[in-house]
């Protein structure tokens, strides 16, 4: 009886839930910080550093969630390669989009708002068998990482 309970506890995605809860807190803080009006002088400099650190730590937590999803769940090899390439690029793109938000460029906040939930969804999808059974792996992987690539490209386009 004890081994069955232990096996069920190991199968429960407590680590993923904790990582996604932390990611959600960082995500909300990032959105609040990016939506706040910028001030001038040293305050603007401090706000930029705050946004950079929030973005960095959010992307670290999302990387950990992707790693947990890949190790404890199932991630297609091609999607793993795409995640390895696009995840850090999307983090830089998110910061570029944050800079565009500070310059009042239309649509930049949407990029910041969409990238983290897409990556978090994919990490959760790879971890949960019931969620993975809902759609073919190739379709979900191509849709998510294709969207991440397009949003990242859009972010870099707003930065120039």
């Amino acid at each position: 009886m004890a081994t069955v309970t232990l096996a069920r506890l190991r199968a429960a995605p407590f680590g993923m839930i904790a990582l996604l809860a932390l990611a959600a807190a960082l995500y909300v803080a990032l959105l609040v910080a990016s939506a706040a009006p910028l001030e001038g002088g040293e305050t603007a400099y401090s706000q930029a550093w705050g946004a950079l650190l929030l973005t960095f730590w959010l992307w670290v937590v999302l990387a950990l969630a992707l790693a947990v999803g890949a190790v404890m769940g199932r991630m297609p090899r091609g999607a793993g390669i795409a995640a390895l390439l696009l995840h850090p690029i999307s983090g830089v793109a998110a910061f570029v989009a944050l800079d565009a938000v500070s310059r009042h460029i239309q649509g930049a906040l949407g990029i910041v708002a969409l990238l983290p939930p897409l990556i978090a969804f994919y990490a959760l999808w790879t971890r949960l068998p019931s969620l993975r059974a809902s759609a073919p792996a190739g379709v979900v992987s191509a849709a998510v990482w294709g969207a991440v690539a397009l949003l990242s490209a859009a972010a870099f386009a707003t930065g120039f």
Side-chain angles (χ1 to χ4, degrees):
M1 180 70 176
T3 58
V4 171
T5 306
L6 185 58
R8 292 181 93 197
L9 282 176
R10 284 184 182 159
F14 293 124
M16 180 64 79
I17 292 169
L19 284 171
L20 292 181
L22 179 57
L26 289 167
Y27 174 69
V28 168
L30 181 64
L31 289 181
V32 168
S34 62
L38 284 178
E39 299 180 25
E42 288 185 23
T43 306
Y45 185 70
S46 296
Q47 287 174 323
W49 269 106
L52 174 65
L53 291 173
L54 279 171
T55 305
F56 174 77
W57 287 113
L58 176 57
W59 255 257
V60 166
V61 171
L62 289 173
L64 291 172
L66 285 169
V68 167
V71 171
M72 300 297 290
R74 291 208 173 116
M75 183 183 294
R77 185 178 312 256
I81 293 168
L84 201 60
L85 295 172
L86 289 172
H87 177 266
I89 290 170
S90 68
V92 173
F95 189 71
V96 169
L98 282 171
D99 179 57
V101 168
S102 72
R103 291 182 284 124
H104 307 290
I105 294 177
Q106 294 290 332
L109 188 58
I111 294 168
V112 175
L114 289 174
L115 277 171
L118 275 171
I119 296 169
F121 164 76
Y122 191 77
L124 189 63
W125 180 85
T126 60
R127 176 65 179 93
L128 298 178
S130 59
L131 200 53
R132 277 195 317 270
S134 66
V139 171
V140 172
S141 298
V144 168
W145 294 113
V148 167
L150 288 173
L151 286 168
S152 297
F156 289 123
T158 64
F160 297 113

